[in-house]
Amino acid sequence: MSITKSLEKRRTYYNIDKNIPVLEKEIEEKIKEVTELVPDAFNMKSARVVIVFGEKHDLLWDEIYEVYGGKVSREKIDSFKAGAGTVLFLYDEETVKGLQEKFSAYADNFPVWANQANGMLQLAVWTVLRELKVGASLQHYNPVIDDKVKDLFNIPSQYRLVAQMPFGGIVSEPEEKDKEDIDQRVKIVR
């Protein structure tokens, strides 16, 4: 499948369940593969991924609900909990700081570049999940949940949580997206 076709199939799936059409091991291997392939500035390799399955996935979303103290609806949280797992995206602030010290002329850019690389990784994981016929969505409950997530999964304190991606079997397809006037966002200069 071409990258364009893969990106076209990648959608936000909110209606997911625990019935994934592949083995968990296949998801793990594909996520490891794309994590290694996604580029980043200065080859810093700051991105970190934690994949949570089963009861730990359910616990994650129950704890997110608790941390928010009911300010996020139980129905919304349960829609993510209904999935088979969650990918947590983080980056290592110590790696970033080390490069800031080593290349001080670029110091201000390294956190930006770490976030850019993480964004590319999120898209790559989201796309590869869809290629596996697994649906996912990208969520941002951080920084409110950061401490709880680090405690739950023994994540080092220097890792910064960036996003959460609940995934699962596709229960229903999302509605078709309207085509935009892409010329409003893309300028051609010759």
Side-chain angles (χ1 to χ4, degrees), residues 75-107:
E75 180 180 71
K76 184 172 187 174
I77 295 297
D78 283 348
S79 73
F80 306 133
K81 181 180 173 181
T86 300
V87 182
L88 301 172
F89 294 94
L90 312 101
Y91 74 84
D92 183 353
E93 292 181 301
E94 289 300 316
T95 298
V96 172
K97 286 178 188 171
L99 286 165
Q100 287 176 306
E101 292 167 6
K102 186 173 181 181
F103 301 101
S104 60
Y106 302 106

Side-chain angles (χ1 to χ4, degrees), residues 46-50 90-95 146 150 154-162:
S46 62
R48 302 293 183 265
V49 174
V50 175
L90 312 101
Y91 74 84
D92 183 353
E93 292 181 301
E94 289 300 316
T95 298
D146 290 12
K150 288 177 182 179
N154 198 27
I155 295 172
S157 62
Q158 76 268 16
Y159 288 11
R160 176 177 292 230
L161 184 60
V162 179

